[in-house]
Amino acid sequence: MSSVDRRRLLAAIGLGAVPAVTLAGAEPAWASPTSASSAASAASVTALTMTDLRALSTPSADTVYFLTDPGLEGPFRYLAQDTSSAENYGTVIVGANAARYHRILLDNEIDTGWFGTIGDGANHPLSERFTTLTEARAIYPHATALTDEIDWCAIQAAINTAKSANAVTTAIRIPRGDYVINQALRAEVDGLLLRGLGGASISIEMDYFGLMVNRGTGGTEADPQPVYGVQVRDLTFRAMKGYGPTNGGIIIFNNCRDLLLDNVTVVGDAAKLTERQRLTNGIGTSQGTTGVLRNCLVDGTSKPGYYIANGSHHIRIEGCEARNVSGSLGYQPGFGVSGADSITLVDCQGHDNQGAGLQITCDGYPAGVGTPSTNIQVIGGQYSHNRGNGILMGTNLVPQYPRDVQLVGVDTSDNELNGFLSGAGTRVVLADHVAHGNKNSGIAIVNYFAITSSFQVIDPQVANNAIHGVEIRSVDRVTIQGGRTFDDQAVATQGAGVALVPIAGEAAPSNIRILDVDAFGNRLGAVSSTGADAISGQYRLTGTGSPENVVAAPVGSQFTDLAAGLHYVKTVGTGKIGWKALATVL
């Protein structure tokens, strides 16, 4: 222990330049915030170790005590009036004669290192530091066994400090390192900021949640109460030894209002999860969660990388990526929206997944009734190179179906199935949609279960798919307007620009409008409807040659023969006959 020049040390720790600092820990009624000026007015500044601080027999309220222990560095003040604050190892120290020392927060953040984190990526059970659980609980009251990891105990201790009734800050930083945890971090703290520095990562050593917000009451967590304003930033969660929960997420937010998840990565091992038949999501939201997920990555889970589940609403997912999702259930998507409302995905990437890049469906809860996904917007982004569809929309509980869905400027190319497939849904708009090189059709709208209707496809760019450009199966009210559906390969693979395909036992397609679509190079022509002629609607098409005996269309449809300059109108029937040439086009 040594006394040092007060002015030099205060300048070194920033007290001379910071306009205000705060005492960490409890703030009883008699305490007032400590300002930089009052700290700077201290009679002396003393540098010492934790051991020295605890041993002080006559501490002074006029002295700033600066700890020099690696990882614990920082200034403390003795508060003579405090006779009750509990030791928490990081921000409140209890010394000789029950003296309480409170850490001065220079940047209004709690550092997990103050509570003893190690962060070297290795296992460090409590038994390394403590001989009994009672001894460990004197520092970490939440510890359950000497096998608990020190990193988990220390990070949770920092969160608990922010959770305490008299906490003066809820901001926590995790320094650069790889921290090993054997229990879930519980972050039910209103206004919590949990952020990593310099690539901090957390390695999960258990088959359970890594980070969980789920505030229960009455001894149960089945009906979580809201937690407000949680922020998690700049952290990586690795589930490579422990694999996360079954039917849950490595990170999960239940009834978390105004959530912000920013630059968070979740890495799993899809092969091991599949081998063990574990069903693990990456990031999950449900039961009233709202907020923003941005710049996040999920790689290698066995259920949807992002699972936006029943009760989630008003969530914006921006610039996020899901890849390499694969599990024992088969066809698992990168992004899954199930029974949620008002969800927006902006410039996201879903690729190299076992199923779809994005799946929009219904939730089976409540049992027998279910909940549809509603008011879903997908703006920009790519859902490509998936082993399933680029985007799949459907239902797992008839008669529920997704409603009010808009996709604008989305790319669903190079998938093993369709670019976009809807098997159930209504009031759906696809604008400026790109779908090239899919192994099935570019866009497929299918009336499974008689609950698919009211689609608008505006200015699509659909090309070089293996079956059709746009495929319509027994749907009512579909409009395709503008855009192009074509094949420009040396050997064409795309069948029809727009194909109407029958479904056994289903009604014929009706109210089909195909207007000013530039369709060329397709093997089966601009429009093909063998066995599934539209019984109503209108086509406005161009091509070469007469449409008579070639193009089936509803009455009132128009066709312009660009080669001969003739304009045709469909006068009778729904098949390929009944076209009448009206005039020469000048």
Side-chain angles (χ1 to χ4, degrees):
M1 178 173 63
S2 61
S3 293
V4 297
D5 181 82
R6 178 175 61 86
R7 181 172 296 176
R8 292 178 59 188
L9 185 52
L10 288 172
I13 64 177
L15 290 178
V18 178
V21 295
T22 309
L23 283 180
E27 187 173 300
W30 43 260
S32 59
T34 298
S35 66
S37 59
S38 64
S41 66
S44 64
V45 178
T46 299
L48 73 179
T49 66
M50 175 72 79
T51 301
D52 292 336
L53 182 66
R54 291 187 186 280
L56 287 176
S57 58
T58 56
S60 169
D62 295 326
T63 298
V64 171
Y65 297 100
F66 188 87
L67 287 190
T68 59
D69 305 72
L72 301 178
E73 297 95 340
F76 282 76
R77 290 294 299 270
Y78 164 61
L79 295 182
Q81 304 96 318
D82 185 4
T83 59
S84 60
S85 293
E87 164 87 52
N88 68 15
Y89 193 75
T91 61
V92 178
I93 306 301
V94 179
N97 301 320
R100 266 71 176 178
Y101 303 90
H102 288 246
R103 185 182 290 271
I104 301 170
L105 298 183
L106 303 179
D107 51 13
N108 206 38
E109 285 189 334
I110 296 169
D111 192 309
T112 60
W114 302 339
F115 298 84
T117 52
I118 299 170
D120 63 359
N123 294 98
H124 294 285
L126 287 172
S127 58
E128 287 186 357
R129 291 183 180 174
F130 307 98
T131 57
T132 68
L133 182 59
T134 299
E135 182 185 358
R137 282 179 168 168
I139 303 299
Y140 305 121
H142 49 284
T144 61
L146 286 177
T147 53
D148 285 342
E149 291 289 338
I150 291 173
D151 282 341
W152 171 73
C153 289
I155 296 173
Q156 190 63 54
I159 294 172
N160 292 347
T161 296
K163 187 189 297 187
S164 62
N166 294 314
V168 296
T169 184
T170 54
I172 297 170
R173 62 172 178 254
I174 303 177
R176 181 175 184 175
D178 183 10
Y179 301 88
V180 175
I181 64 173
N182 70 305
Q183 294 197 47
L185 296 171
R186 301 300 301 263
E188 291 88 0
V189 182
D190 289 344
L192 176 72
L193 168 62
L194 186 66
R195 70 182 185 100
L197 303 178
S201 66
I202 294 173
S203 292
I204 299 171
E205 294 276 321
M206 69 291 184
D207 293 341
Y208 198 58
F209 306 96
L211 174 66
M212 185 179 192
V213 175
N214 193 85
R215 177 186 283 160
T217 59
T220 178
E221 294 182 330
D223 185 20
Q225 300 303 299
V227 180
Y228 295 91
V230 171
Q231 299 183 49
V232 184
R233 298 173 177 264
D234 307 323
L235 274 172
T236 295
F237 288 80
R238 302 185 186 278
M240 308 300 285
K241 294 183 181 178
Y243 303 111
T246 281
N247 291 321
I250 294 169
I251 302 176
I252 187 71
F253 301 96
N254 294 331
N255 207 357
C256 187
R257 311 289 180 86
D258 301 321
L259 167 70
L260 174 59
L261 203 64
D262 189 3
N263 193 30
V264 171
T265 297
V266 176
V267 180
D269 189 327
K272 289 183 179 178
L273 287 166
T274 302
E275 176 187 328
R276 291 162 172 77
Q277 296 191 340
R278 295 196 62 79
L279 311 177
T280 304
N281 302 109
I283 298 170
T285 68
S286 71
Q287 295 171 282
T289 296
T290 67
V292 176
L293 283 62
R294 68 187 181 206
N295 304 324
C296 295
L297 166 66
V298 177
D299 185 350
T301 56
S302 58
K303 286 186 70 179
Y306 301 79
Y307 187 44
I308 311 303
N310 194 324
S312 302
H313 64 98
H314 294 91
I315 292 179
R316 181 180 176 91
I317 306 170
E318 182 175 342
C320 292
E321 180 179 1
R323 66 192 187 204
N324 301 320
V325 173
S326 180
S328 58
L329 292 177
Y331 283 98
Q332 294 302 295
F335 295 82
V337 178
S338 178
D341 176 65
S342 299
I343 308 300
T344 300
L345 294 94
V346 181
D347 295 331
C348 292
Q349 310 286 323
H351 62 93
D352 296 291
N353 298 295
Q354 180 188 33
L358 165 63
Q359 179 172 297
I360 304 168
T361 185
C362 302
D363 191 89
Y365 179 85
V369 178
T371 304
S373 289
T374 53
N375 300 305
I376 310 301
Q377 289 189 325
V378 185
I379 302 171
Q382 294 179 316
Y383 302 89
S384 59
H385 298 282
N386 296 289
R387 283 175 276 165
N389 301 281
I391 296 178
L392 172 62
M393 188 167 70
T395 184
N396 56 355
L397 185 67
V398 176
Q400 292 290 12
Y401 49 87
R403 303 165 191 176
D404 300 301
V405 178
Q406 299 90 39
L407 289 79
V408 180
V410 179
D411 188 332
T412 59
S413 298
D414 301 308
N415 295 287
E416 292 296 313
L417 297 179
N418 303 281
F420 170 85
L421 169 63
S422 175
T426 190
R427 298 189 297 272
V428 179
V429 176
L430 282 73
D432 300 313
H433 194 92
V434 177
H436 295 175
N438 295 287
K439 297 296 178 63
N440 284 2
S441 295
I443 297 172
I445 306 169
V446 184
N447 192 23
Y448 295 134
F449 317 116
I451 50 175
T452 304
S453 67
S454 301
F455 276 69
Q456 295 185 61
V457 183
I458 302 169
D459 293 329
Q461 299 294 319
V462 182
N464 303 340
N465 299 286
I467 296 184
H468 297 297
V470 180
E471 181 178 340
I472 302 171
R473 291 178 174 255
S474 301
V475 183
D476 179 51
R477 297 195 300 276
V478 176
T479 296
I480 306 171
Q481 184 167 3
R484 302 192 302 168
T485 172
F486 64 94
D487 195 313
D488 61 359
Q489 303 171 98
V491 178
T493 59
Q494 187 163 284
V498 179
L500 278 68
V501 182
I503 297 180
E506 294 288 341
S510 56
N511 294 301
I512 306 300
R513 303 172 74 230
I514 304 172
L515 306 174
D516 304 322
V517 178
D518 187 4
F520 60 89
N522 301 288
R523 292 187 298 105
L524 302 179
V527 178
S528 171
S529 57
T530 303
D533 296 342
I535 61 174
S536 58
Q538 182 188 24
Y539 300 171
R540 191 164 62 228
L541 306 172
T542 59
T544 56
S546 169
E548 185 72 8
N549 292 312
V550 176
V551 178
V555 171
S557 295
Q558 303 172 45
F559 183 94
T560 300
D561 177 0
L562 298 177
L566 294 176
H567 186 72
Y568 294 81
V569 174
K570 189 71 162 21
T571 59
V572 294
T574 59
K576 297 178 181 179
I577 62 173
W579 290 97
K580 181 178 180 180
L582 295 183
T584 300
V585 179
L586 299 179

